[in-house]
Amino acid sequence: MTDLTAEEARNIWGYNPETGDLTWEITKNRQLKGSKAGIVSIYGYLTVHYKKRYRKNRLVWLIVTGSWPVGQIDHINGDRTDDRFSNLRECSQNQNMWNRRVHKNNKLGIKGVHKNGNGYIAYIMQFRHRIYLGYFKTVNEAKNAYDEAAKKFHGEFARF
């Protein structure tokens, strides 16, 4: 993906730091100069096509910093379409996973907490290992245990 330089990217797209939008600086096929660049992929990320497909967040990183991101790009607020540079940060895959939202099949809607019999079990993932946090009588106790563990283990990437 490193075939495009920052200088080339800046000549092809304009970047608005307030909105995170990229606009075409050139006319390419049906894309007119001044029009917004990017469509939403099936994974929910904005992608831009110029000779090949790029994730818009990675292009924004290239344009602002002058180099391609080394690892993954995390959207701090969890919105995959919010590509303001202030909402982006480089991260490892583990850190990116820590900042995930609650799975849609989570019946309680609380990350790291599951119903078990008359109580609740809390656990947290750390580098592909499940860490058992305990068995709790109330959902709030289990949630608090998860929240504290997330602060401890995931730091700035913790999502509750």
Side-chain angles (χ1 to χ4, degrees), residues 5 20 23 63 68 83 95 98 109 134-135:
T5 67
T23 54
I63 289 168
W68 286 101
D83 290 327
Q95 291 168 324
W98 298 338
Y135 180 84

Side-chain angles (χ1 to χ4, degrees), residues 10 13-23 25 56 59-61 63-64 83-88:
R10 291 179 188 123
W13 298 284
Y15 171 65
N16 181 335
E18 293 177 15
T19 63
D21 291 335
L22 290 180
T23 54
E25 293 292 318
K56 188 176 139 218
L59 287 174
V60 167
W61 192 271
I63 289 168
V64 173
D83 290 327
R84 293 173 295 130
F85 185 74
S86 61
N87 185 47
L88 304 177

Side-chain angles (χ1 to χ4, degrees), residues 44-96:
Y45 293 97
L46 289 166
T47 60
V48 177
H49 192 268
Y50 180 80
K51 296 184 181 176
K52 62 193 273 185
R53 193 173 321 276
Y54 297 96
R55 277 206 181 154
K56 188 176 139 218
N57 56 22
R58 296 181 73 80
L59 287 174
V60 167
W61 192 271
L62 173 67
I63 289 168
V64 173
T65 67
S67 61
W68 286 101
V70 176
Q72 295 186 2
I73 296 292
D74 178 48
H75 291 84
I76 296 168
N77 67 5
D79 181 354
R80 294 175 177 179
T81 62
D82 184 354
D83 290 327
R84 293 173 295 130
F85 185 74
S86 61
N87 185 47
L88 304 177
R89 59 186 169 190
E90 274 189 293
C91 65
S92 68
Q93 180 167 349
N94 282 315
Q95 291 168 324
N96 207 355

